[in-house]
Amino acid sequence: MKGAKSMKKRYKIAILTLSVIVLLCVSVVLGGFVRIKVLESKLWPVTEPFSEMERVPICVDRIFSLSDVEKCIGFSDYVFIGTVEEILGTKYNELHYNSFKLWDHEGPETYYRIKSVHDIKGDAPGELTVICYSGQNPDGTLTEIDPLAEDKTTYIFMCCERDGEFRMFNCYYLGGYDWSDTSENVDDVIARYEEAFRNQDLSVRYD
């Protein structure tokens, strides 16, 4: 009789132990699929030049080619020559972390502090914060939907203003911070863009 009771007790302990193990396994598996928002609105530092990052293959469907200067300028609210004073960082609209240690996010967006030195279209502020819908991912790879500008360099920037924010969708490299390392005559490039402004294609605007 005592042996039967002992056997039954051991059986209950075994069932309880197995139940605990199963519950723990289920919790781990389900936890891996449950997104936990850990932050948003924080600017993360860019750790290396964009040109040195591994690019994530993506397919971007545009209503016009970024090589069509007349359409790019027509779409823009501001076109100006500017220098990248500082890359302020990368922002993710939502950043999640799960128990499998996998990152999931919406974004990235790269924030720049840019000094405007010459207007081609519009009257851009002398210094402004510009946002680009591209940038470094949490794992160090690069998602480039729109062209990114490197730090301490000079570009022709093409931006739209939305809700008080300057959104860059294209940029054309002119040279280094001090206008060095230019591969072509900068005056000719500026003249080409100013001519394109006079012939801008406004059919691509949606406002």
Side-chain angles (χ1 to χ4, degrees):
M1 192 74 176
K2 288 183 179 180
K5 288 183 178 179
S6 177
M7 180 68 70
K8 186 179 293 186
K9 184 176 181 181
R10 286 198 296 270
Y11 179 75
K12 288 182 178 179
I13 292 173
I15 293 294
L16 181 61
T17 302
L18 182 61
S19 299
V20 171
I21 292 173
V22 170
L23 285 174
L24 287 173
C25 291
V26 170
S27 298
V28 170
V29 171
L30 290 179
F33 295 100
V34 175
R35 294 177 174 183
I36 305 173
K37 186 187 295 186
V38 295
L39 61 89
E40 61 179 35
S41 301
K42 176 180 177 179
L43 283 175
W44 292 74
V46 176
T47 58
E48 60 183 319
F50 297 121
S51 59
E52 297 179 8
M53 297 179 189
E54 179 185 352
R55 294 173 183 269
V56 176
I58 56 173
C59 180
V60 181
D61 186 18
R62 303 186 189 278
I63 60 174
F64 59 88
S65 171
L66 294 184
S67 63
D68 190 325
V69 181
E70 284 76 15
K71 281 187 169 64
C72 285
I73 293 179
F75 185 77
S76 303
D77 294 315
Y78 300 93
V79 180
F80 59 92
I81 297 172
T83 55
V84 179
E85 298 291 304
E86 180 183 8
I87 298 178
L88 299 172
T90 306
K91 178 181 176 182
Y92 310 98
N93 292 329
E94 291 187 354
L95 185 61
H96 306 275
Y97 189 72
N98 60 30
S99 59
F100 289 137
K101 298 184 179 180
L102 298 175
W103 290 100
D104 186 22
H105 63 279
E106 294 179 7
E109 298 178 348
T110 301
Y111 282 65
Y112 294 92
R113 181 169 61 87
I114 293 174
K115 181 173 67 176
S116 173
V117 297
H118 177 75
D119 289 314
I120 295 174
K121 177 181 179 180
D123 185 14
E127 187 170 287
L128 63 162
T129 299
V130 172
I131 306 169
C132 181
Y133 284 122
S134 299
Q136 185 177 25
N137 297 307
D139 62 1
T141 59
L142 179 70
T143 295
E144 190 168 27
I145 298 172
D146 295 326
L148 285 156
E150 296 283 6
D151 197 16
K152 300 298 185 289
T153 46
T154 304
Y155 293 80
I156 295 178
F157 291 97
M158 285 155 269
C159 302
C160 295
E161 186 176 6
R162 299 289 181 268
D163 301 321
E165 294 181 332
F166 295 93
R167 299 274 179 172
M168 176 181 74
F169 69 92
N170 199 7
C171 59
Y172 185 90
Y173 177 77
L174 289 180
Y177 185 79
D178 56 355
W179 297 75
S180 61
D181 304 323
T182 54
S183 58
E184 54 186 314
N185 190 310
V186 172
D187 291 336
D188 291 343
V189 175
I190 296 172
R192 187 163 81 239
Y193 273 77
E194 288 178 337
E195 177 65 21
F197 169 54
R198 290 188 286 271
N199 297 302
Q200 62 182 316
D201 185 348
L202 297 173
S203 66
V204 293
R205 292 190 67 88
Y206 57 82
D207 55 359

